Amino acid sequence: RAKGVSRSDLRRMELEWGHVYCRFLVRGEEVETCDMHRVEILATDGDGEAEGQYRALGRATRILAANGLLPDGLEFFVSPHLYDFAETPAPVFAKA
């Protein structure tokens, strides 16, 4: 977790923004991600750029976790959009 971001911030973020951003959680060498169909742009993207971006970050995160390079319990959000466009209670990784 980022300094100053609590678990309740992350839960609130998922409740309020789970239809826009995808939550990633590192558990040891495994990575849990959101249900793609719950994120509006991914549900309708049909193998487009947004889905490709989401899958690429998922692969990169899984490679880092499998090699023990990410701390257990790390949580963050990923934006499948081209630009991050809103102020949120937790950090969001975006393409640009």
Side-chain angles (χ1 to χ4, degrees):
R1 290 182 309 212
K3 186 175 182 176
V5 178
S6 68
R7 292 230 183 260
S8 64
D9 290 333
L10 294 168
R11 281 191 299 274
R12 190 174 91 234
M13 172 81 174
E14 188 164 30
L15 288 173
E16 294 175 13
W17 293 95
H19 66 289
V20 178
Y21 302 124
C22 182
R23 186 176 185 177
F24 280 43
L25 170 61
V26 177
R27 292 194 185 271
E29 294 182 359
E30 301 292 319
V31 178
E32 295 176 15
T33 64
C34 66
D35 175 0
M36 282 180 42
H37 298 98
R38 189 170 164 244
V39 178
E40 291 170 353
I41 195 170
L42 295 176
T44 60
D45 190 49
D47 290 330
E49 185 174 2
E51 185 173 330
Q53 181 171 308
Y54 160 80
R55 290 189 185 279
L57 191 50
R59 278 190 304 274
T61 303
R62 284 180 178 86
I63 289 168
L64 293 171
N67 285 286
L69 299 173
L70 296 176
D72 185 44
L74 176 68
E75 296 179 76
F76 58 93
F77 287 85
V78 172
S79 172
H81 299 273
L82 295 180
Y83 301 97
D84 191 13
F85 57 87
E87 224 174 279
T88 58
V92 176
F93 287 102
K95 185 173 183 175

